[in-house]
Amino acid sequence: MAELTAKGRATRARILAVAADLVLKQGVAGTQIEDVRKAAGVSGSQMTHYFRDKRTLIKDVIAWQADKMVRLQQTPELDSFAAWQRWADRVVERQAARDFQGGCDFGSLAGQLVESDAETRADLAAGYEQWLDLFRRGLETMRARGELREDADPDVLAQSLLAALQGGLLLSQTLRRADPLRNSLDAALAYLGSYADPGRRPA
Amino acid sequence: MAELTAKGRATRARILAVAADLVLKQGVAGTQIEDVRKAAGVSGSQMTHYFRDKRTLIKDVIAWQADKMVRLQQTPELDSFAAWQRWADRVVERQAARDFQGGCDFGSLAGQLVESDAETRADLAAGYEQWLDLFRRGLETMRARGELREDADPDVLAQSLLAALQGGLLLSQTLRRADPLRNSLDAALAYLGSYADPGRRPA
């Protein structure tokens, strides 16, 4: 898609945003390419120009959501106990603002598509790896600064934080209430806190 | 379905087991009622007799998976630190035995169907509530026995354990490796362990 003009890139981005929104509300199976075309207000030939078929579209929606999620969470950096606490608060607020509908923008794609085919699973795995990298970098900074003890493993902590987030989101989405997500994140933060260097006061 | 004969119940159960298996492997959208009929080796009229349409079938698959999951996890009771540790080990072993394919039998249904319609969401929520009840009962026993401190909240702990399980399963399913699930469960068990009554030695 490197050959697209600025206008072409904007149209493609608009179609993707509409597709991602529909997929979140109606699920992948419930979203047809024709729904996306109508909602984006483009012609059939434009649609085909940017996305060969539904599979191509969904593949790009996965990449789009992975990018968005990483951009959303990389500022501010998750490199202090206070930053992680604010992150957790913001996650819960954001879900509460939409009444816990839709769940995790990225995780809900994973839940729907992970067993669809090998290529899609690999795309989803790449998205989670990006996310784990982001968490790990912040945790490595905390350890380098001495906020976390030397025996804290940023890989292990990143995985436990992301799993708590994904599981908490799915439970809160299904039960339509805040407490599973809140309690899951609090537990993961408490686990993180158990690696605080006792010689230092957490920021 | 109270009017079914023993033979009828057996046929219905067989169709359900086949449907649940196909849904786990191919997803809900990728499983058509005709695939289920063929795989179960029943006639079209038998299929229609037990399951009016795909929606009825999926509704019953949800209930069937919720029941199975509760039966699977209620023995032995999750009422000691040692029981929780064995539970976590068994969960990881079970997923490793199937190369992390399919993820959580129940959670994968939730991930696929939670936004499909209000009734299905309510069925999925009821399944998670059953599961939370099961966890909570074991944790209440531990608190009553004094293994957990008085300030341990069985609701909060049940939610954090179930979220860690669901998130860890989704990550391990997508990444096709054990460590996210293992580390997520270890973190949740460490959090549970932080409520051990210091006056007692954990069993």
Side-chain angles (χ1 to χ4, degrees):
Chain A
M1 288 281 156
E3 75 282 12
L4 288 182
T5 61
K7 197 176 162 214
R9 281 196 302 274
T11 305
R12 183 175 173 279
R14 184 158 50 87
I15 298 173
L16 267 181
V18 166
D21 187 53
L22 283 179
V23 161
L24 213 61
K25 285 183 189 145
Q26 304 171 189
V28 175
T31 302
Q32 304 316 322
I33 211 153
E34 180 60 13
D35 309 331
V36 176
R37 189 195 64 72
K38 276 189 200 155
V42 295
S43 68
S45 62
Q46 273 181 300
M47 195 70 202
T48 318
H49 178 66
Y50 296 110
F51 305 98
R52 210 168 53 244
D53 51 22
K54 181 168 171 181
R55 197 193 152 109
T56 321
L57 178 64
I58 296 299
K59 186 181 172 65
D60 287 347
V61 166
I62 293 172
W64 188 84
Q65 286 290 17
D67 277 357
K68 198 184 81 172
M69 165 262 301
V70 167
R71 266 184 289 113
L72 194 72
Q73 307 212 0
Q74 71 191 354
T75 332
E77 283 204 48
L78 296 167
D79 60 359
S80 69
F81 288 108
W84 279 104
Q85 187 63 60
R86 280 191 301 268
W87 164 83
D89 293 343
R90 221 169 45 209
V91 166
V92 178
E93 274 164 31
R94 187 160 175 258
Q95 295 296 319
R98 56 192 210 191
D99 296 323
F100 303 96
Q101 284 180 39
C104 176
D105 295 1
F106 185 79
S108 71
L109 290 174
Q112 291 178 68
L113 295 169
V114 55
E115 301 302 341
S116 56
D117 59 77
E119 194 188 334
T120 305
R121 189 199 59 74
D123 291 342
L124 293 164
Y128 274 136
E129 293 288 7
Q130 271 185 276
W131 207 344
L132 288 170
D133 275 348
L134 179 77
F135 280 13
R136 182 169 41 228
R137 280 199 303 275
L139 296 163
E140 278 167 357
T141 303
M142 290 172 74
R143 194 175 61 174
R145 262 201 219 119
E147 283 185 58
L148 288 176
R149 293 196 314 260
E150 274 305 310
D151 65 328
D153 183 331
D155 268 315
V156 167
L157 289 169
Q159 289 174 357
S160 63
L161 284 156
L162 187 54
L165 174 67
Q166 295 294 284
L169 284 166
L170 179 59
L171 289 182
S172 279
Q173 179 186 10
T174 309
L175 297 168
R176 295 286 198 248
R177 54 176 215 255
D179 54 329
L181 178 60
R182 181 77 263 174
N183 292 325
S184 168
L185 293 178
D186 284 351
L189 293 182
Y191 182 67
L192 176 63
S194 74
Y195 285 94
D197 191 322
R200 293 180 58 112
R201 243 187 102 74
Chain B
M1 288 282 155
E3 75 281 11
L4 289 182
T5 61
K7 199 177 161 211
R9 280 196 302 274
T11 305
R12 182 174 173 278
R14 184 158 51 88
I15 299 173
L16 267 181
V18 165
D21 187 53
L22 283 179
V23 161
L24 212 61
K25 285 183 189 146
Q26 305 172 189
V28 174
T31 303
Q32 305 317 322
I33 211 152
E34 179 61 12
D35 309 330
V36 176
R37 188 195 65 71
K38 275 189 201 156
V42 296
S43 68
S45 63
Q46 272 181 301
M47 195 71 201
T48 318
H49 178 66
Y50 297 111
F51 305 99
R52 209 167 53 245
D53 50 23
K54 180 167 171 182
R55 196 194 153 107
T56 320
L57 177 65
I58 296 300
K59 187 182 171 65
D60 287 348
V61 166
I62 293 172
W64 188 84
Q65 286 289 18
D67 277 356
K68 198 183 81 171
M69 167 262 301
V70 167
R71 265 183 291 115
L72 195 70
Q73 308 212 0
Q74 72 191 354
T75 331
E77 282 204 47
L78 295 167
D79 60 359
S80 69
F81 288 107
W84 280 104
Q85 187 63 59
R86 279 192 302 267
W87 164 83
D89 293 344
R90 220 169 45 208
V91 166
V92 178
E93 273 164 31
R94 186 159 176 259
Q95 295 295 320
R98 56 192 210 192
D99 296 324
F100 303 96
Q101 284 180 39
C104 176
D105 294 1
F106 185 79
S108 72
L109 291 174
Q112 292 177 70
L113 295 169
V114 54
E115 300 302 342
S116 56
D117 59 76
E119 195 188 332
T120 305
R121 190 199 60 73
D123 290 341
L124 293 164
Y128 274 136
E129 293 289 7
Q130 271 185 277
W131 208 344
L132 288 170
D133 275 348
L134 179 75
F135 280 12
R136 182 169 40 229
R137 281 198 303 275
L139 296 162
E140 278 166 357
T141 303
M142 290 172 74
R143 194 174 62 175
R145 261 200 219 119
E147 284 185 58
L148 288 175
R149 295 196 312 260
E150 273 304 310
D151 66 328
D153 183 329
D155 268 314
V156 167
L157 289 168
Q159 289 174 357
S160 62
L161 284 157
L162 186 55
L165 174 67
Q166 295 293 284
L169 284 166
L170 179 59
L171 289 182
S172 278
Q173 179 187 11
T174 308
L175 297 169
R176 296 285 198 250
R177 54 177 215 254
D179 55 328
L181 177 60
R182 181 77 263 175
N183 291 325
S184 168
L185 293 178
D186 284 350
L189 293 182
Y191 182 66
L192 175 63
S194 74
Y195 284 96
D197 191 321
R200 292 181 59 112
R201 244 187 103 75

